[in-house]
Amino acid sequence: MKRRLFAGAAAVITLAGDSRPRAGKAMSELGIVENGSVGVDERGEITWVGPDAHVPRQWRDEATIIDCRDRVLMPAFVDSHTHLVWGGDRNDELVARLRGADYEEILAEGGGILSSVRQTRALDDEALYQQSLERIARMRRCGTTTFEIKSGYGLDRATELRQLKVARALASEGGYRVKTTCLAAHAIPESARTDATTRAAWIDEICTSILPEVAAAALADFADVFCDRGAYTVEESRRVLRAAHALGMGIRIHANELGPTGGARLAAELGASSADHLLYLDDDDRRALREAGVVATLLPGTSLVLGKPYASGRALLDAGVPVAVATDCNPGSCPFENLAMVLALACFGNRLTPAEAICAATHNAAASLGLADMVGSLQPGRRADLLVLATRDVRDLVAHAASPLVEQVWQDGVRVA
Ligand code: NIG
Ligand code: FE
């Protein structure tokens, strides 16, 4: 590969700085270079960023030039919360919910997540890989080059491991940038719903069999638990996440989505990398998250699809909690794939400003995955994962939500869409 120079962009959104998650005012400081250029070396690493007028002579002479006049250059999106490996669909449920059926009742009656579990178990590895590949390819076309992928549609040892292997294969064979998360504690499987003994045995199995096997095969970077009403209690979640932590995995939590059920406090107690959803929080919860340095991940697409309230992004920002935004891409509560659209929802729903939402869907999402020294900003030393937008004003991503503004997607200095 030759060196490349992305030249003369109306604005380069650099988000230059260190790799810690940003909070408060720092989330609005996008480090914009007007009339700027970005140089990328033969290995796909950014080596030069600055005003176009200062581009070293050598770059102009030797690099392949990508003309970015009247365009915005920005870091590619980082989707830090997806469930994108699953089988089948739940479109019949979608219609039923639009007619008034309730998400939690559907799950309690054996549908919802459990329906996706049955459809996922029924697929062989190849079919599961192909269905997931189609999805992740569409997501990258929308501008996302880095993905967190959770298991959780297996709810048995074999299928949980298969899901994580498919997620790893999307990286090794598909060339996608992926971090994986074991979410064996997503719903209580049908087989563990008969009584307290089968339920306790399932938690045991997660802690003493599934997580150790996942760790031994290096299949997951993180573990996650759906700690909420109708799913796992705080005590069960604590046990699972402590076991995962002892095995060297990072921690993420689905918390306070359906009620003030204690998941956010648990995230703070355990020093989780991320607490996600967070529709029901009080001031003490927000203080605990800030003091523990937990990234609060907003998933406004899920609020829209389920007709739920939006998490108060403003209150989190004002409390000094670092905020990320992700799709939650899953077959039920939010099958959205377009993070640019969800970023706009974070403004209209969670009341972030466009600048805050852009930081949330790039640098902060990367920081929550431990990847901010690699992606999420445009500065020397980072990978050349970047977007060329067909506009001069990055706020158009919000003003014209879901319009096709993402014109080019680059990963490691190679154009991928
Ligand atoms: O993040 N909240 C729990 N889990 C997913 C929903 C998964 C599903 O409905 O299949 C979520 O919303
Ligand atoms: Fe989720």
Side-chain angles (χ1 to χ4, degrees):
M1 189 175 97
K2 258 185 86 169
R3 291 201 287 172
R4 297 183 197 282
L5 182 70
F6 295 81
V12 180
I13 312 296
T14 69
L15 278 150
D18 67 37
S19 53
R20 285 172 301 181
R22 295 184 182 201
K25 221 166 62 66
M27 283 189 67
S28 307
E29 291 159 6
L30 298 184
I32 296 178
V33 179
E34 284 174 14
N35 200 5
S37 297
V38 173
V40 176
D41 74 9
E42 299 79 355
R43 297 161 303 142
E45 186 175 306
I46 297 172
T47 49
W48 195 88
V49 179
D52 191 62
H54 299 172
V55 170
R57 183 66 195 252
Q58 228 189 333
W59 275 97
R60 279 209 205 287
D61 293 346
E62 292 169 14
T64 306
I65 310 276
I66 294 104
D67 183 358
C68 295
R69 231 173 327 167
D70 296 325
R71 299 287 183 268
V72 168
L73 265 181
M74 68 170 285
F77 298 125
V78 176
D79 200 339
S80 57
H81 181 141
T82 89
H83 305 246
L84 73 83
V85 174
W86 77 75
D89 68 71
R90 304 220 303 268
N91 288 345
D92 291 341
E93 268 179 25
L94 184 153
V95 175
R97 277 191 278 106
L98 290 172
R99 291 204 162 106
D102 177 71
Y103 178 76
E104 286 179 66
E105 275 167 25
I106 293 172
L107 174 61
E109 285 160 11
I113 294 171
L114 296 175
S115 162
S116 291
V117 167
R118 288 188 290 275
Q119 297 181 70
T120 303
R121 287 179 184 172
L123 293 188
D124 63 23
D125 293 354
E126 185 51 32
L128 191 55
Y129 180 78
Q130 280 309 327
Q131 291 193 11
S132 307
L133 184 64
E134 281 175 29
R135 238 167 254 140
I136 200 170
R138 283 195 298 266
M139 293 170 90
R140 195 165 65 177
R141 282 211 293 279
C142 296
T144 304
T145 60
T146 302
F147 303 83
E148 184 261 10
I149 303 178
K150 302 175 197 297
S151 63
Y153 294 115
L155 305 190
D156 62 29
R157 198 184 48 82
T159 318
E160 286 293 314
L161 289 163
R162 286 206 302 128
Q163 265 194 292
L164 291 168
K165 282 182 192 159
V166 166
R168 286 283 195 233
L170 290 170
S172 60
E173 293 168 34
Y176 292 86
R177 199 184 297 290
V178 171
K179 284 276 183 183
T180 58
T181 299
C182 180
L183 179 57
H186 192 192
I188 307 290
E190 258 156 331
S191 59
R193 281 172 181 247
T194 39
D195 55 44
T197 316
T198 55
R199 184 169 172 130
W202 164 242
I203 310 281
D204 275 345
E205 187 181 346
I206 296 176
C207 297
T208 62
S209 165
I210 298 180
L211 288 171
E213 230 184 286
V214 164
L219 285 174
D221 307 298
F222 296 92
D224 191 343
V225 170
F226 184 13
C227 177
D228 224 315
R229 198 162 72 197
Y232 291 80
T233 66
V234 170
E235 291 69 32
E236 290 167 339
S237 302
R238 183 185 285 113
R239 208 184 139 207
V240 169
L241 294 173
R242 277 199 180 146
H245 180 72
L247 290 162
M249 294 178 211
I251 293 173
R252 321 181 79 76
I253 308 187
H254 282 71
N256 301 50
E257 176 188 6
L258 306 172
T261 41
R265 289 301 184 90
L266 182 64
E269 174 194 317
L270 299 176
S273 300
S274 179
D276 305 37
H277 286 294
L278 306 176
L279 274 54
Y280 299 92
L281 290 184
D282 61 26
D283 288 343
D284 291 336
D285 295 328
R286 283 183 281 266
R287 194 172 312 123
L289 290 172
R290 186 199 59 224
E291 282 168 7
V294 179
V295 174
T297 300
L298 304 177
L299 307 166
T302 307
S303 291
L304 179 68
V305 171
L306 295 184
K308 304 255 182 215
Y310 288 91
S312 178
R314 279 266 58 86
L316 285 161
L317 257 297
D318 294 344
V321 181
V323 172
V325 172
T327 60
D328 198 14
C329 181
N330 74 70
S333 70
C334 186
F336 294 176
E337 297 166 340
N338 185 340
L339 184 51
M341 188 188 74
V342 173
L343 177 161
L345 286 180
C347 298
F348 298 120
N350 309 106
R351 310 310 289 182
L352 267 54
T353 64
E356 289 163 348
I358 284 162
C359 173
T362 55
H363 171 78
N364 272 9
S368 88
L369 294 172
L371 289 175
D373 53 359
M374 207 187 250
V375 293
S377 59
L378 301 183
Q379 52 186 330
R382 303 297 197 263
R383 304 305 300 165
D385 282 27
L386 53 85
L387 307 178
V388 179
L389 304 184
T391 175
R392 296 175 59 86
D393 184 345
V394 74
R395 295 173 299 182
D396 280 339
L397 280 178
V398 177
H400 306 301
S403 287
L405 293 172
V406 176
E407 192 175 71
Q408 300 175 29
V409 183
W410 295 76
Q411 180 182 329
D412 288 318
V414 175
R415 184 156 175 192
V416 290

